[in-house]
């Protein structure tokens, strides 16, 4: 606190008044006006900020596309599942063909890559599930 013993508010204001009296009127007023304007602008932004971008999250409504009855038989359930699996398989086939096309454009031997992938799946013991008889994809 030793360095603050010589400081006083009235002395500070007195020094400020003395500086303004010694200099030309426009020499100190322009920087003071700019400082006041910048400070006022920042305070205005603090006041404005809570009023802008006040979006509150509204969760999306879940809409169920299909409703099933409780009296469905196991065969109907399996038939629906296989129809969905057929759609997934069609999408996967389209994706695989697009990737093969990209591989061919890149100069890769996609047929060899596919043969290697099939061999790896068989080596791991993966088998394809048999489809029910009469299923039309």
């Amino acid at each position: 606190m030793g360095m603050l013993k010589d400081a006083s508010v009235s002395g500070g204001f007195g020094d400020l008044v003395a500086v303004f009296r010694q200099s030309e009127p426009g020499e100190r007023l322009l920087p003071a006006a700019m400082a006041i304007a910048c400070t006022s602008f920042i305070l205005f932004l603090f006041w404005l900020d809570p009023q802008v971008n006040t979006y509150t999250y509204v969760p999306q409504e879940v809409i169920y596309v299909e409703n099933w009855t409780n009296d469905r038989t196991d065969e109907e359930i399996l038939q629906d599942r296989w129809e969905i699996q057929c759609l997934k398989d069609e999408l996967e086939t389209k994706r695989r063909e697009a990737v093969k096309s990209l591989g061919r454009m890149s100069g890769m031997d996609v047929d060899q890559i596919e043969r290697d992938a099939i061999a790896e799946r068989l080596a791991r013991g993966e088998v394809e599930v048999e489809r029910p008889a009469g299923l039309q994809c």
Side-chain angles (χ1 to χ4, degrees), residues 54-70:
T54 56
Y55 172 75
T56 56
Y57 173 74
V58 178
Q60 295 180 352
E61 181 182 350
V62 177
I63 299 173
Y64 295 97
V65 178
E66 294 185 37
N67 290 325
W68 294 293
T69 60
N70 290 334

Side-chain angles (χ1 to χ4, degrees), residues 21-33:
R21 284 185 184 158
Q22 288 176 356
S23 61
E24 294 181 22
E27 186 178 331
R28 300 283 184 205
L29 289 179
L30 181 63

Side-chain angles (χ1 to χ4, degrees), residues 66-74 76-77 80:
E66 294 185 37
N67 290 325
W68 294 293
T69 60
N70 290 334
D71 59 348
R72 289 193 322 155
T73 63
D74 288 343
E76 291 173 337
I77 294 171
D80 286 341

Side-chain angles (χ1 to χ4, degrees), residues 43-109:
L43 292 176
F44 172 73
L45 290 180
F46 277 121
W47 172 79
L48 183 68
D49 185 50
Q51 299 174 9
V52 180
N53 296 331
T54 56
Y55 172 75
T56 56
Y57 173 74
V58 178
Q60 295 180 352
E61 181 182 350
V62 177
I63 299 173
Y64 295 97
V65 178
E66 294 185 37
N67 290 325
W68 294 293
T69 60
N70 290 334
D71 59 348
R72 289 193 322 155
T73 63
D74 288 343
E75 292 80 21
E76 291 173 337
I77 294 171
L78 288 174
Q79 181 66 31
D80 286 341
R81 287 186 182 172
W82 278 111
E83 288 174 5
I84 293 170
Q85 186 61 45
C86 285
L87 293 174
K88 289 180 180 179
D89 290 345
E90 288 176 15
L91 291 174
E92 178 63 23
T93 302
K94 287 181 183 178
R95 187 194 67 79
R96 184 172 283 137
E97 290 303 319
V99 170
K100 282 183 183 180
S101 174
L102 179 65
R104 285 189 186 99
M105 286 188 277
S106 300
M108 297 178 173
D109 185 8

Side-chain angles (χ1 to χ4, degrees), residues 115-130:
R115 284 193 297 270
D116 292 344
I118 291 171
E120 286 178 18
R121 277 194 299 256
L122 291 175
R124 285 193 305 256
E126 291 182 19
V127 293
E128 186 152 334
V129 178
E130 291 293 325

